[in-house]
Amino acid sequence: MTINIADAIRPKNVEQWGQIVASHYEARDADGCVRQPNWVVFEPRFSPDGEWTGLGEVVDLIPALPDEIPPPHPTLPRPQANHPMDVGPVAARLGYPCERYEFQLDFSGVYTAAFIRHHTSNSR
């Protein structure tokens, strides 16, 4: 899986970077999911005829607030159980319009790890 991450992101303060890094390295639940996921903001990908074809480049990664994290589903694995959800309030808080971006909670930590790796390797 290739994860494309934008070089230009919104500036983050030390507290936000600390939350992003901590969410990835702290203990995980029994299914291997992070307990405090981050919101991944994607540009959508479209075919030449304008049809949505999936998630495009990661344009930002922002710590989720506790009340934005849905409770676990009783039988489904965490990453599959929480969709769809109304991301309108989240989009408003993050400052990204719903109609132009896709939002996903990173329970696996894969996007968070790629984001950290990308931005630490580019800052040297």
Side-chain angles (χ1 to χ4, degrees):
M1 171 168 115
T2 301
I3 300 173
N4 296 320
I5 299 176
D7 287 325
I9 62 164
R10 291 183 181 169
K12 305 221 177 315
N13 61 35
V14 173
E15 181 183 9
Q16 288 172 316
W17 276 111
Q19 290 171 334
I20 288 169
V21 172
S23 76
H24 181 67
Y25 290 104
E26 287 181 350
R28 296 177 179 236
D29 67 15
D31 296 321
C33 294
V34 298
R35 295 170 196 258
Q36 181 63 42
N38 295 299
W39 281 108
V40 185
V41 183
F42 298 91
E43 286 186 337
R45 194 174 54 231
F46 296 96
S47 67
D49 63 354
E51 188 157 333
W52 187 84
T53 59
L55 301 172
E57 186 174 64
V58 173
V59 297
D60 212 347
L61 192 116
I62 302 163
L65 298 177
D67 64 333
E68 295 170 343
I69 303 167
H73 190 275
T75 57
L76 293 173
R78 187 82 198 220
Q80 288 90 28
N82 300 310
H83 300 284
M85 64 182 282
D86 179 15
V87 295
V90 171
R93 179 180 75 84
L94 303 182
Y96 289 97
C98 284
E99 58 278 356
R100 289 198 47 220
Y101 295 95
E102 300 286 331
F103 304 87
Q104 180 176 313
L105 284 168
D106 184 21
F107 284 105
S108 70
V110 170
Y111 292 101
T112 300
F115 190 84
I116 293 167
R117 196 170 38 255
H118 178 81
H119 287 291
T120 54
S121 67
N122 286 348
S123 66
R124 291 182 189 160

